[in-house]
Amino acid sequence: MTTLITGATGFVGAAVARRVLAEGRPVRALVRHDSDRSNIEGLDVAVVEGDLTDAASLAEAVRGCKSVFHVAADYRIWCPDPAAMMATNVEGSRALMRAAAEAGVQRAVYTSSVATIMPHADGTPADENTPSSVDNMIGSYKRSKYLAEQVVLAVAEETGLEVVVVNPSTPVGPRDIRPTPTGRLIRDAAAGRVPAYVETGLNIVHVDDVADGHWLAHKRGNVGRRYILGGENMSLRKILSTVTRLAGRRPPTLQLPNPLAMGIAHMSEAVARLTGREPMATMDGVRMARHKMYFSSRRACDELGYAPRPAHEALADAVAWFSKGG
């Protein structure tokens, strides 16, 4: 029973591919022609070249598949062209789910994000029932993922395709080759290049636990239901302290007030527009940091048997991988 995985060359997608292969399932990967394929080198994966914005390639990719893990997404905090992100994340997801339904796919797991869930203002963990709307979403990425989640569920209801949604929090660990924004923070902190921080918090989870959660959602998840795949809630100060100590460095001690951080982000984006290089800090990132992004995975633990490891182990694996030149 062939399983299609989109985004299999990426950080989370590669972990999902390994998890599905461990179950003895044949895996097909939808891969853009210019993607870095090092994350799937040596894996028994059939590659089909295509793109979420190319409907014909999606029809070819899903042909003969019984299940789909739609992990691929345009994930950037700084996005000078929001229309391109919407085309990939929203319309691409719509097209893939329609193609899957038409091809007779039985079950699909859609990788959303906790970005679609509004954090609680008081710092208590939010969950799948926390009220959220597109108006609460800060930045193009969050808006695109919120809308994509709605589109996927609407197509599922319209076509009868069995869809389960998973909402990973902040995955860290090995094979973050791009790296993700969080991976870049860990890499730079381990290298001693993060002298200051803002007061915020994240939910840290090992990427392999997120992959396990995907498989459990495919196997046991209720159709149309969302499952947060998180780990441990940690302040940014604690995250940076853990990373720097693992790397044998001193943790940063300078806490930036939000207005100063916003000023730095404003200047960083101005420079980025001139140079074309990604900014060191973004205004959307500073806006997000005003809320501690803490979440609860209780539903996934209770209904799926999801059991993430301690965040320290996830951060240790990330530091070890980056230290080896990842």
Side-chain angles (χ1 to χ4, degrees), residues 44-237:
D44 186 14
V45 172
V47 172
V48 175
E49 288 195 354
D51 192 283
L52 289 172
T53 60
D54 179 358
S57 71
L58 299 182
E60 179 64 26
V62 296
R63 184 175 294 122
C65 293
K66 293 302 180 185
S67 58
V68 169
F69 288 85
H70 178 26
V71 188
D74 185 346
Y75 176 29
R76 292 173 289 160
I77 301 300
W78 186 64
C79 181
D81 182 13
M85 180 174 282
M86 289 290 179
T88 296
N89 292 351
V90 181
E91 297 308 320
S93 296
R94 188 198 309 273
L96 177 65
M97 292 300 142
R98 288 196 179 280
E102 292 171 4
V105 169
Q106 295 176 352
R107 195 168 179 87
V109 175
Y110 170 63
T111 308
S112 183
S113 168
V114 292
T116 67
I117 300 170
M118 183 66 182
H120 287 159
D122 62 2
T124 57
D127 61 22
E128 297 88 348
N129 295 320
T130 301
S132 302
S133 74
V134 70
D135 294 333
N136 299 140
M137 302 295 109
I138 297 172
S140 299
Y141 175 70
K142 286 196 172 193
R143 284 192 292 273
S144 72
K145 291 299 286 184
Y146 182 91
L147 294 172
E149 187 177 290
Q150 303 305 306
V151 160
V152 166
L153 292 173
V155 172
E157 184 174 357
E158 175 189 335
T159 63
L161 177 65
E162 293 185 3
V163 172
V164 181
V165 176
V166 292
N167 301 76
S169 57
T170 311
V172 301
R175 298 182 299 275
D176 191 358
I177 60 174
R178 191 177 178 182
T180 61
T182 310
R184 189 162 57 247
L185 176 68
I186 292 172
R187 178 199 65 189
D188 291 348
R193 295 197 295 266
V194 180
Y197 63 93
V198 294
E199 178 56 33
T200 190
L202 299 170
N203 182 284
I204 298 295
V205 61
H206 198 293
V207 67
D208 291 340
D209 292 333
V210 170
D212 190 51
H214 276 70
W215 177 253
L216 291 170
H218 177 270
K219 184 179 178 181
R220 304 173 183 168
N222 292 315
V223 174
R225 200 151 168 85
R226 299 193 299 166
Y227 295 94
I228 292 174
L229 303 180
E232 185 177 339
N233 294 311
M234 302 177 71
S235 69
L236 181 56
R237 180 180 181 180

